[in-house]
């Protein structure tokens, strides 16, 4: 098939229209980019002669511009081939009409009478002109996507029974102030009271600085039925470590599965074991201990082995400290019939919500009784 460079824009228009009818997401920008391949002097097709344009190179360039997936490439090939065939048929018909053979002598045309009004001959529109008129019609414009600033912030976090802010505020109430160091702080109230008792001012009353020496040990149930709650337990650990106001060395995090057995783990992936006896040896009467576990309430299991092992762990813990509480992420309505119903009679167990977290922190602070 012989095709000149002048035929390439028409081929691009025809292929562009067919692709849009087939569902391709093309707009004016893609059409102009395709036409630039044959009109731009910087195009790789521009140096080619008009007699032998690189049709295959043009096809590959259009594929890169207009096809965004393998399925688009599969649809592009037959539509491109169909356009080439129609261009070939149209070119052959034009060459047949422009033959150099001598035309037959036309019959003489008699002039019309002056009384009859002259009518213009009907204009015949060829198929090629009609196709060109359709192709050069206005194409739909695809508006570019622009980012706009929104005045309202969108919360993409999932639902949690306790927000991260509530956890941060709750941990800040866990304080055990101990006066240490030299007395270098002026106690105004004590100074005024002493001066009033003596009747005259003699010297100021100084006091030592107070430091928060609260020790916190977290036992976090990991994997198993607690796997859907990892995001919640992760927030509990992060806020306790970084937003509680306690130094990192005063917070110990231990992970276990179902029941704290003879050893626990110091990482969330449970790859670094540590003897439970070693952890309990660091606890004293002023150490606050919080256990976070569903205690079988997620699946509604009541297993005697788990209850016995949990009772043994709580007995060992009570020998070291009485400041211990239990947070259960499962609502209290689902505790009956599970191991949580029995364990709740051995330790102060609270539902994981704003009130439950606040009450649990009060227990491990010593402001509420540790047993029912």
């Amino acid at each position: 098939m012989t095709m000149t460079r002048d035929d390439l824009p028409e081929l691009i228009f025809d292929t562009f229209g067919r692709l849009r009818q087939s569902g391709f997401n093309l707009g004016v920008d893609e059409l102009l980019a395709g036409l630039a391949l044959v009109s731009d002097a910087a195009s790789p097709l521009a140096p080619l002669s008009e007699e032998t344009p690189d049709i295959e190179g043009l096809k590959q360039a259009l594929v890169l511009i207009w096809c965004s997936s393998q399925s688009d490439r599969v649809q592009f090939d037959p539509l491109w081939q169909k356009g080439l065939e129609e261009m070939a048929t149209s070119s052959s018909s034009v060459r047949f009409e422009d033959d150099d053979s001598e035309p037959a002598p036309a019959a003489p045309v008699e002039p019309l009478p002056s009384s009859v009004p002259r009518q213009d001959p009907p204009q015949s529109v060829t198929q090629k002109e009609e196709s060109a008129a359709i192709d050069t019609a206005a194409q739909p414009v695809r508006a570019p996507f622009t980012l706009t600033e929104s005045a309202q912030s969108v919360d993409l976090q999932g639902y949690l029974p306790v927000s991260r802010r509530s956890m941060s505020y709750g941990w800040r109430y866990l304080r055990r102030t101990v006066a240490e160091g030299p007395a270098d702080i002026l106690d105004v109230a004590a100074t005024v009271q002493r001066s009033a008792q003596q009747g005259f001012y003699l010297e100021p009353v100084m006091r030592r600085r107070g430091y928060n020496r609260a020790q916190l040990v977290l036992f976090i149930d990991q994997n198993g039925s607690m796997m859907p709650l990892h995001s919640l337990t992760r927030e509990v650990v992060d806020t306790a470590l970084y937003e509680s106001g306690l130094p990192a060395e005063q917070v110990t995090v231990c992970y276990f599965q179902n029941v704290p057995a003879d050893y626990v783990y110091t990482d969330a992936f449970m790859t670094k074991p540590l003897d439970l006896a070693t952890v309990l040896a660091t606890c004293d009467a002023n150490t606050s201990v919080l256990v976070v576990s569903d205690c079988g309430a997620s699946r509604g299991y009541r297993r005697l082995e788990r209850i016995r092992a949990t009772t043994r762990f709580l007995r060992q813990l009570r020998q070291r400290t009485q400041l211990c509480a239990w947070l259960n992420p499962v609502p209290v309505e689902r505790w009956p019939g599970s191991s949580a119903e029995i364990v709740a009679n051995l330790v102060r167990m609270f539902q994981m919500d704003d009130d439950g977290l606040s009450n649990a922190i009060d227990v491990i602070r010593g402001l509420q009784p540790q047993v029912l």
Side-chain angles (χ1 to χ4, degrees), residues 38-317:
V38 296
S39 61
D40 190 3
S43 173
L45 301 177
L48 301 179
S49 62
E50 296 185 357
E51 289 75 15
T52 59
D54 188 1
I55 302 300
E56 186 63 25
L58 176 61
K59 173 186 175 182
Q60 298 298 330
L62 293 177
V63 167
L64 295 176
I65 297 175
W66 292 350
C67 299
S68 59
S69 63
Q70 185 63 27
S71 61
D72 293 346
R73 173 62 186 273
V74 174
Q75 299 180 44
F76 180 87
D77 292 340
L79 296 176
W80 173 264
Q81 189 64 28
K82 187 175 181 181
L84 291 179
E85 294 175 357
E86 290 190 359
M87 289 290 296
T89 304
S90 177
S91 300
S92 61
S93 61
V94 171
R95 287 195 302 271
F96 179 77
E97 293 176 359
D98 295 342
D99 197 359
D100 295 337
S101 60
E102 295 181 0
V109 181
E110 297 180 357
L112 296 175
S114 58
S115 60
V116 180
R118 184 176 180 180
Q119 299 180 355
D120 295 334
Q123 297 180 356
S124 61
V125 181
T126 63
Q127 181 181 2
K128 180 178 180 181
E129 294 175 351
E130 184 179 3
S131 177
I134 295 176
D135 292 339
T136 56
Q139 300 293 337
V141 178
R142 183 178 62 184
F145 175 76
T146 56
L147 295 175
T148 58
E149 296 183 358
S150 177
Q152 299 180 353
S153 60
V154 180
D155 186 10
L156 300 179
Q157 296 182 354
Y159 168 76
L160 294 178
V162 184
S163 64
R164 186 182 181 93
R165 176 174 295 183
S166 298
M167 295 180 189
S168 302
Y169 286 153
W171 290 125
R172 292 184 181 274
Y173 285 100
L174 182 60
R175 302 187 61 85
R176 184 172 297 277
T177 305
V178 177
E180 297 179 354
D184 55 355
I185 303 297
L186 174 63
D187 193 340
V188 178
T191 301
V192 173
Q193 183 178 5
R194 177 180 294 183
S195 300
Q197 292 175 352
Q198 295 178 352
F200 57 91
Y201 171 77
L202 183 62
E203 60 180 357
V205 178
M206 309 298 291
R207 59 180 177 85
R208 295 183 295 176
R209 296 179 181 270
Y211 297 91
N212 184 14
R213 296 306 181 188
Q215 295 286 337
L216 175 62
V217 179
L218 287 175
F219 288 94
I220 306 297
D221 193 355
Q222 194 81 348
N223 298 335
S225 59
M226 288 290 294
M227 187 170 295
L229 303 171
H230 279 180
S231 59
L232 178 60
T233 56
R234 191 182 304 115
E235 294 289 343
V236 173
V237 173
D238 289 346
T239 52
L241 287 174
Y242 308 113
E243 301 180 15
S244 63
L246 296 174
E249 60 272 9
Q250 296 178 213
V251 179
T252 304
V253 182
C254 301
Y255 296 90
F256 65 93
Q257 184 171 352
N258 295 334
V259 177
D262 296 335
Y263 53 88
V264 291
Y265 300 88
T266 59
D267 64 318
F269 299 102
M270 303 181 69
T271 59
K272 301 177 181 179
L274 179 65
D275 290 339
L276 179 62
T278 303
V279 178
L280 296 179
T282 62
C283 300
D284 54 19
N286 296 324
T287 303
S288 301
V289 179
L290 182 63
V291 183
V292 181
S293 172
D294 65 333
C295 199
S298 295
R299 299 173 179 174
Y301 292 162
R302 175 179 287 184
R303 294 180 177 177
L304 185 59
E305 297 82 1
R306 182 168 187 170
I307 297 175
R308 288 177 176 174
T310 304
T311 304
R312 188 183 310 111
F313 163 72
L314 293 176
R315 187 183 304 113
Q316 296 175 359
L317 187 60

